[in-house]
Amino acid sequence: MRALVVYCHPRADSFNAAVRDVVLEKLAAAGAETRLIDLYAEGFDPVMSGPENAAYLDLTIGTEHMEPHVAAIRWCDTLIFVYPTWWYGLPAMLKGWLDRVLLPDVAFLMPEGENGTIRPGLRHITRLGVFTTGGASRLLTFFVGAPGRRTLLRGLGLLCKPGRRTAFAMHYLMDSSTPKTRAQHLQRVARQMDRLIGPVPQRQEVRA
């Protein structure tokens, strides 16, 4: 297993750091090769410039400006995100990482012909994990549509291997959390990691 953990939080003492540590401990115990991208620690620039956007759209952008991030995406077979949910979605830092790193011919292939659609480019990723926290309740988050979860597990997930193994855990009502609820959530993260690390089921081919 080759696991890439993308971590996004501006404070070293955040609860998300504790979640990240559980994720890393579980990967280490499973003997996984692991790479950690800490977006705030490295000062990642999430802003796509005008020239970069133009190159993106006309497919002259290349990947050199986003190494070693692109190399890490191509290397991993397991992709895990740890981040806080802000305004029901992804922090700007993480959204910018998706915009700038998951490039054409990296995460997806551009459409062929008129009225075509993009084609998946992350079929080598067989496991996808999302671990987050948020101030809203579960009910309110789902009423709004849980856009962060949908972006990663559904939108990004569709680019990954069919039959991929997924895991998700969110601590809702984080602003009124207690030591007990935080400890319970870390246990939930550990259980979800055990599930994610387990063998990926093989899809059965349907024969005529």
Side-chain angles (χ1 to χ4, degrees):
M1 185 191 312
R2 299 182 303 278
L4 174 62
V5 179
V6 181
Y7 174 68
C8 180
H9 201 287
R11 288 183 16 236
D13 61 347
S14 73
F15 180 64
N16 277 263
V19 172
R20 174 205 61 203
D21 290 346
V22 170
V23 168
L24 294 175
E25 288 165 6
K26 283 292 184 177
L27 290 170
E33 297 179 63
T34 303
R35 296 183 186 180
L36 172 67
I37 293 178
D38 186 331
L39 295 176
Y40 277 95
E42 75 170 57
F44 181 81
D45 182 0
V47 179
M48 179 181 287
S49 68
E52 184 179 346
N53 179 254
Y56 184 107
L57 294 176
D58 67 17
L59 301 182
T60 62
I61 191 167
T63 61
E64 295 80 7
H65 65 300
M66 281 292 110
E67 297 288 350
H69 295 261
V70 168
I73 282 289
R74 287 174 166 164
W75 164 83
C76 73
D77 59 31
T78 299
L79 181 57
I80 300 172
F81 295 92
V82 181
Y83 65 94
T85 293
W86 292 340
W87 280 101
Y88 306 103
L90 306 177
M93 177 74 83
L94 181 53
K95 179 57 168 64
W97 186 85
L98 298 178
D99 293 340
R100 301 192 69 208
V101 174
L102 300 187
L103 293 160
D105 295 327
V106 175
F108 61 93
L109 306 177
M110 293 295 276
E112 292 182 332
E114 294 183 2
N115 299 316
T117 188
I118 63 171
R119 291 159 291 148
L122 299 176
R123 293 304 204 202
H124 59 286
I125 295 180
T126 60
R127 296 176 178 84
L128 180 61
V130 175
F131 300 99
T132 185
T133 60
S137 67
R138 178 185 177 91
L139 179 62
L140 184 55
T141 299
F142 276 77
F143 174 76
V144 172
R149 175 177 180 171
R150 291 163 68 96
T151 294
L152 295 177
L153 286 184
R154 291 192 183 184
L156 176 57
L158 288 173
L159 303 177
C160 300
K161 184 176 180 178
R164 62 200 166 276
R165 186 180 292 274
T166 62
F168 176 82
M170 179 172 182
H171 190 311
Y172 301 95
L173 297 173
M174 192 66 205
D175 297 328
S176 57
S177 67
T178 66
K180 180 179 179 180
T181 65
R182 293 192 292 272
Q184 289 173 337
H185 184 70
L186 293 180
Q187 293 173 357
R188 188 178 305 115
V189 170
R191 291 193 299 270
Q192 285 293 308
M193 280 299 298
D194 288 338
R195 178 176 179 273
L196 186 67
I197 290 170
V200 176
Q202 299 297 314
R203 297 189 76 192
Q204 298 275 339
E205 289 190 11
V206 178
R207 299 183 180 275

